[in-house]
Every structure is written in C-alpha cells, then in structure tokens.
Amino acid sequence: GAVVSQHPSRVICKSGTSVKIECRSLDFQATTMFWYRQFPKQSLMLMATSNEGSKATYEQGVEKDKFLINHASLTLSTLTVTSAHPEDSSFYICSARENRGVNYGYTFGSGTRLTVV
Amino acid sequence: GEDVEQSLFLSVREGDSSVINCTYTDSSSTYLYWYKQEPGAGLQLLTYIFSNMDMKQDQRLTVLLNKKDKHLSLRIADTQTGDSAIYFCAESSLNSGGYQKVTFGTGTKLQVIP
C-alpha cells in the first residue's frame, strides 16, 4: 500500500534555530500534501496544504514566515520551522493523498516530535 | 513496520447504524483513536480508547476493541447526514526511544444517504 515517510521522528533543537521536517511519498505521486500539528490531548490541526510547484495554502492563524513549506517534487514536501521557540514544541504530522482515480485514502507519516529547548 | 488498515468507503441510510472497522498490527499500542475529517477541514478527534479497555461509549458513538485480534470498530448510532465525512483510525505507542509514534489508517469515507 501507499507509504509516506516522515523524517526525523524526533528532534530536539535550541531556541532560535531552524528545523526542517521531510515528508516523502515512497511509492506514489502526490500533488498535494498536508501538514498537521497536534497539541497534547487535542486533535490534529491542519496547518497548511502543500501544492507541488506552487505556494502552500496556510490555515488561518498559521504564520507563513514561521512555518515554511516547500513542495518541490511530486514525492517530497518539507516543513521548516524557522527561529524555533519553546511554544513551537509539538507533534507534526504530514499526509498525502494518491493521485489516482477516485481514491479517498489519505496516508499519514508517522509524525515528528519537535522539542525546542 | 506498524500498519493500520481500513476500508475506503461505506454507504449507509440516514437513521441506520454505521460501523467502521479498523485493524492494526502493533501489539504494543497504548491508545487507539478515531478522527473525523469533514470536507475542507482538519482532523477532529472523536474519541479514543486505552488499549486495556474493551469498549467505550460516548453518546451515539461506541468503540469496540478486540485486542487479541487487533481489531477496532466505531459504531455510529442513528447516523445523520452531518456524519458524512472521512473517519480515520489511528494507534499510538511508545517507540524504543520512548517517544510517541502515531500510525494512521487511510481513512474511511462515510456517505449517508437521506
């Protein structure tokens, strides 16, 4: 089945540094990928929709300059948390949907636990 | 690696019960979740169950867990048109490094026919 690989699984960084998270669709092409953030004991919150070859669409309240998204190819989207601060510590998950016919399946990565110290 | 599987599509008539099934492979799962995603919206946590529980009921929702068979189900009683959405099953466990790892199913699209 479809597989989405997300790396790293866990990262600890110092406040003020930038962190890049990769999301790859391993065996399918995805023109659209999604980035979510999850706070403890809360639902996943959609941050942005990443579109291959164009600018990402950000949800209301999500800072575009803070969370840079690049979808350079049909199999790779990256999320860069710039100038990270402790409040950015969270669980980030990407997902991708296959581009084939009528398919409602969304495949998720295993998530990235970001801790900013 | 861990795998979570769901059927992609379910169609029911309004007023009937819906049952969405999920199977998983990770025997060390600690929590299992059901999320709902409406069109154009993010995932909404509907309910979750601890792995040492068999059943959890919350209003119209009933979650059944068969840990032996690694089978999770979500039953929606008196299904309404507003229940039309994609439902995601997910399981979490602690990895060897002690951090949470969450694996999601591909989602089941529930269509409620008036």
Side-chain angles (χ1 to χ4, degrees):
Chain A
V3 177
V4 170
S5 175
Q6 186 174 341
H7 293 282
S9 299
R10 183 188 188 197
V11 57
I12 300 172
C13 70
K14 290 185 177 181
S15 187
T17 62
S18 295
V19 174
K20 180 185 285 187
I21 303 171
E22 289 189 350
C23 181
R24 293 180 184 273
S25 56
L26 295 187
D27 50 3
F28 67 97
Q29 294 182 335
T31 54
T32 304
M33 293 185 177
F34 306 87
W35 287 97
Y36 294 86
R37 180 176 179 176
Q38 185 179 35
F39 295 96
K41 298 183 180 180
Q42 294 187 30
S43 298
L44 289 168
M45 178 190 76
L46 179 64
M47 298 175 65
T49 302
S50 170
N51 303 296
E52 187 268 336
S54 64
K55 292 182 179 180
T57 304
Y58 289 82
E59 297 298 302
Q60 190 173 9
V62 178
E63 299 176 59
K64 299 179 183 180
D65 296 330
K66 175 76 170 174
F67 299 100
L68 299 178
I69 291 174
N70 184 285
H71 195 155
S73 75
L74 287 171
T75 59
L76 174 64
S77 176
T78 60
L79 168 67
T80 301
V81 182
T82 62
S83 186
H85 291 283
E87 57 265 29
D88 298 325
S89 297
S90 192
F91 192 62
Y92 295 85
I93 302 176
C94 70
S95 75
R97 180 178 173 181
E98 293 188 63
N99 302 332
R100 55 184 179 100
V102 181
N103 186 330
Y104 303 101
Y106 293 79
T107 303
F108 286 83
S110 56
T112 298
R113 170 69 65 190
L114 171 64
T115 303
V116 185
V117 298
Chain B
E2 292 77 15
D3 192 23
V4 177
E5 294 189 353
Q6 308 175 233
S7 55
L8 289 180
F9 191 75
L10 176 65
S11 179
V12 299
R13 292 201 174 275
E14 190 175 16
D16 289 348
S17 292
S18 307
V19 179
I20 303 172
N21 294 301
C22 171
T23 58
Y24 60 98
T25 59
D26 189 351
S27 59
S28 63
S29 295
T30 52
Y31 294 87
L32 295 114
Y33 306 86
W34 283 105
Y35 286 85
K36 176 183 180 182
Q37 185 180 38
E38 295 179 352
L43 291 167
Q44 172 197 3
L45 180 62
L46 282 179
T47 186
Y48 66 91
I49 188 170
F50 294 107
S51 60
N52 62 356
M53 296 171 63
D54 299 324
M55 185 184 82
K56 182 177 180 180
Q57 187 158 1
D58 184 3
Q59 299 181 336
R60 292 191 297 121
L61 304 179
T62 302
V63 178
L64 294 178
L65 174 60
N66 182 327
K67 194 173 181 179
K68 175 176 173 289
D69 294 338
K70 299 187 182 66
H71 182 267
L72 183 74
S73 68
L74 174 69
R75 178 177 181 270
I76 305 173
D78 187 25
T79 311
Q80 303 298 307
T81 54
D83 295 324
S84 294
I86 299 175
Y87 291 81
F88 293 90
C89 167
E91 62 90 18
S92 71
S93 58
L94 291 178
N95 212 330
S96 56
Y99 57 87
Q100 181 195 49
K101 179 181 178 180
V102 179
T103 305
F104 289 83
T106 54
T108 298
K109 183 175 176 68
L110 175 63
Q111 180 186 51
V112 181
I113 303 169

